Amino acid sequence: MERRWSAALLAAGLAAASLTACSASEDKVPSIGYSFDNVVNNYNARTVDGAASGARQAFTRVQVGFSYLGPDGDALSDNDIGTVAVVPGDVLTLQYTIAPAAKYSDGAPMACDDLVLAWAANSGRFATDRPLFDAASTAGYSDIASIDCVPGSKDATVVFAPGRSYQNWRALFGATDLLPAHVAARAAGVPNVVDPIVAGDDGVVSRIADFWNTGWTLTPGSVDTSLLPSAGPYRVDSYTPEDGLVLVANDAWWGIPPETQRVVIWPKGTDVPAKIADGSLDVIDQGAGAIDLGSTEGFETVTEPSRGVEQLTFATQGALAEASARRAVAACIPRTDLFDTLGHPGFEAPPAGPSSSVVDSRLMQPDTLVYPSVAATVGDRYQRSDLDRAGKELAASGNSALTVRVGYLAPDARRSQLVSRMATDCAAAGITVEDASSPEFTPSALRAGTVDAVLGGAGSLPGPTGSASSVVARYSLRTGIGLNVGGYSNGRIDSIVDQLAVTDDPERVLALATEGENILWNDMPSLPLYSEPRTTVVSDGMQDVVA
């Protein structure tokens, strides 16, 4: 019998791809092997380190929400969990109704408590001398003024602050945003999370936050599945270095059951060629050229642009504390040559949109109508290695020489080549570029000062990143946001990011983004390079795999 089934690889959130499977009953496949280029060390995709992990790729169909990101990068409604309705009025108000049958794999019902926990953790509202929750981003959640929720209820009314009608509201409370509030309540020793959060009881909320921050960390070989109940069609069964992360069909799932009963996820660090050879892998999602896949006979390979932008995120402390030092590094980097050699491998650069040229905006996607005008802000600066400009900027920073340690998640052959090329060109300007990659690297190393720049996607993240809304990229430039690992702070950029979040008028968007890019090319908190090319490898006989 011909092997046939359907799989969907859907970009989900910051940096994600999820895998679902279904087929005609007579063609059921018992197991799917799925590999991607990120580690899975957290069940919580919303912490700083969790966002930098592959949690969104691994758990999109384990932690379902009211939406997921479709193949075009837009939030699509997921009506399995329930419905969302806009309540007429002067301020944006949303009525969430959870499906009556919705429950976790441990039997606990899904309730509005889960939404309240997500809002509290991601709003930035709860803080003492620092935020209690180590959230990667507050985008959208910080605009919510209140949530009306009776503990244990299936209904929640979400009210936004006046003037803060968040444009991307459909992405809120989406896949991997909702975590089991009853588990956090149990860990904090309280009946529910709603009452202390609404009351602003910092002592109890601090205990809830402590668990939210670290309680869902995953260590292969010692995973407590009682902490990982699922509200999706799959649940975590086991996780070991030898057997991978095993997801199995969730018997408590109330929706259409998955036809494929088992999905085995092999994260970064897996010997992919060996797993291909022994038949363990069916779908592989990698940054183009990141690893040698070995023989892929019996597989179809497609390389194409993604919405993630390969970029350098600079520290704003230490050696790169001065903007002139960051501009010096940017000036010696051959962006156009890097795009020509590494930005579109195996496919022709299209005339417009992602992967058509270097990316010249941090605030707008290359396929938006306003992008050409916004991108024109930089002009012909920083297109190729300009040693004269680099030398002048270096002198202006008060340095005669500079060492820049560039970190990224290894191994990654393409990024290794990229850093090597930077090092060659920048050496002539008195700037030493060092490869500081490692298999344990996380973007928070930039915050800690152990590297001077991070090579990755939007928000410094490894793996697939980006969405049509550019929310991650924009908010990673905002003061105090977890993914702003470089520590960049500019009050006007904060205001522009906030205004773009609630503005859909094209003329206003153009004006804001153009002003913002003028500031950013001067401050240089990051240097965009090109749209990251992604490679999807699919075994013969599979159908409907969508990047």
Side-chain angles (χ1 to χ4, degrees):
M1 179 183 297
E2 179 189 7
R3 184 183 186 194
R4 294 189 59 204
W5 55 278
S6 299
L9 291 175
L10 304 175
L14 306 177
S18 70
L19 190 148
T20 63
C22 58
S23 70
S25 58
E26 67 273 13
D27 293 331
K28 289 182 181 179
V29 174
S31 183
I32 299 169
Y34 173 38
S35 171
F36 52 75
D37 56 343
N38 207 341
V39 297
V40 182
N41 55 19
N42 212 310
Y43 196 62
N44 185 351
R46 294 293 306 187
T47 65
V48 173
D49 286 342
S53 77
R56 286 194 183 276
Q57 290 168 270
F59 300 126
T60 299
R61 298 306 291 162
V62 174
Q63 304 166 8
V64 296
F66 285 88
S67 65
Y68 60 91
L69 253 67
D72 293 326
D74 294 308
L76 305 178
S77 296
D78 188 344
N79 294 323
D80 282 328
I81 191 176
T83 59
V84 189
V86 178
V87 179
D90 294 334
V91 299
L92 178 61
T93 302
L94 305 174
Q95 181 65 45
Y96 289 83
T97 302
I98 298 172
K103 63 180 179 179
Y104 285 93
S105 54
D106 61 2
M110 286 197 76
C112 61
D113 305 43
D114 302 323
L115 278 74
V116 171
L117 176 60
W119 167 68
N122 296 289
S123 66
R125 180 163 302 200
F126 295 90
T128 51
D129 56 330
R130 61 178 180 79
L132 297 181
F133 294 90
D134 185 32
S137 176
T138 63
Y141 291 103
S142 60
D143 296 314
I144 295 173
S146 65
I147 297 183
D148 182 12
C149 162
V150 176
S153 170
K154 294 285 188 179
D155 298 300
T157 303
V158 175
V159 182
F160 288 74
R164 297 304 301 170
S165 295
Y166 183 62
Q167 292 293 303
N168 199 37
W169 62 262
R170 290 173 182 81
L172 298 178
F173 306 109
T176 70
D177 282 12
L178 297 180
L179 289 158
H182 66 285
V183 174
R186 185 172 69 226
V190 292
N192 64 77
V193 302
V194 177
D195 291 337
I197 288 171
V198 172
D201 186 334
D202 283 346
V204 176
V205 174
S206 181
R207 297 203 303 270
I208 294 170
D210 287 344
F211 178 81
W212 190 89
N213 292 337
T214 62
W216 279 303
T217 300
L218 299 179
T219 302
S222 58
V223 172
D224 182 357
T225 56
S226 70
L227 301 176
L228 315 175
S230 165
Y234 289 95
R235 62 174 176 83
V236 176
D237 181 67
S238 62
Y239 189 15
T240 64
E242 301 79 18
D243 299 321
L245 173 60
V246 180
L247 308 181
V248 296
N250 175 13
D251 293 337
W253 171 244
W254 60 92
I256 298 173
E259 295 286 354
T260 299
Q261 297 297 299
R262 185 172 179 266
V263 177
V264 181
I265 294 172
W266 299 98
K268 193 175 183 73
T270 298
D271 186 341
V272 173
K275 293 299 178 186
I276 291 174
D278 68 16
S280 297
L281 286 176
D282 302 288
V283 178
I284 304 164
D285 179 16
Q286 298 279 344
I291 61 172
D292 182 358
L293 298 174
S295 173
T296 54
E297 184 179 355
F299 289 78
E300 180 182 2
T301 301
V302 176
T303 298
E304 57 193 344
S306 73
R307 287 192 170 275
V309 175
E310 191 84 342
Q311 65 176 8
L312 281 171
T313 300
F314 296 121
T316 53
Q317 59 183 354
L320 298 182
E322 297 295 327
S324 51
R326 300 192 293 272
R327 291 195 297 268
V329 177
C332 68
I333 291 174
R335 288 202 307 146
T336 299
D337 291 344
L338 292 174
F339 167 72
D340 289 339
T341 55
L342 299 171
H344 53 99
F347 62 90
E348 188 107 6
S355 286
S356 58
S357 64
V358 295
V359 173
D360 284 330
S361 173
R362 305 157 184 85
L363 300 174
M364 303 305 302
Q365 280 279 6
D367 58 355
T368 57
L369 290 175
V370 301
Y371 173 81
S373 298
V374 174
T377 300
V378 68
D380 60 358
R381 295 172 294 160
Y382 306 109
Q383 301 300 312
R384 292 176 173 80
S385 181
D386 186 336
L387 300 183
D388 183 57
R389 177 187 290 272
K392 290 178 180 177
E393 294 285 9
L394 190 61
S397 73
N399 295 295
S400 58
L402 188 64
T403 296
V404 180
R405 299 160 297 173
V406 179
Y408 59 92
L409 187 62
D412 191 314
R414 177 170 53 83
R415 285 176 174 159
S416 176
Q417 292 178 58
L418 202 155
V419 173
S420 177
R421 180 61 191 277
M422 290 179 187
T424 298
D425 281 42
C426 290
I431 298 173
T432 301
V433 176
E434 295 181 351
D435 190 317
S437 62
S438 78
E440 293 78 35
F441 181 81
T442 63
S444 56
L446 190 61
R447 182 188 296 170
T450 57
V451 297
D452 305 295
V454 175
L455 179 58
S460 304
L461 301 174
T465 64
S467 66
S469 66
S470 295
V471 165
V472 174
R474 293 173 187 169
Y475 273 82
S476 65
L477 296 164
R478 200 188 186 288
T479 303
I481 296 297
L483 286 181
N484 183 357
V485 290
Y488 174 65
S489 181
N490 182 298
R492 183 53 188 157
I493 290 296
D494 293 347
S495 178
I496 288 171
V497 169
D498 289 346
Q499 291 176 70
L500 286 172
V502 297
T503 302
D504 61 358
D505 176 67
E507 291 186 4
R508 184 66 178 147
V509 169
L510 174 59
L512 288 167
T514 301
E515 180 189 355
E517 288 298 343
N518 269 306
I519 296 170
L520 293 168
W521 282 110
N522 181 67
D523 289 357
M524 201 65 75
S526 60
L527 180 69
L529 300 173
Y530 49 76
S531 299
E532 187 198 14
R534 302 286 303 174
T535 295
T536 305
V537 184
V538 181
S539 66
D540 290 347
M542 290 189 175
Q543 298 178 354
D544 302 333
V545 175
V546 181

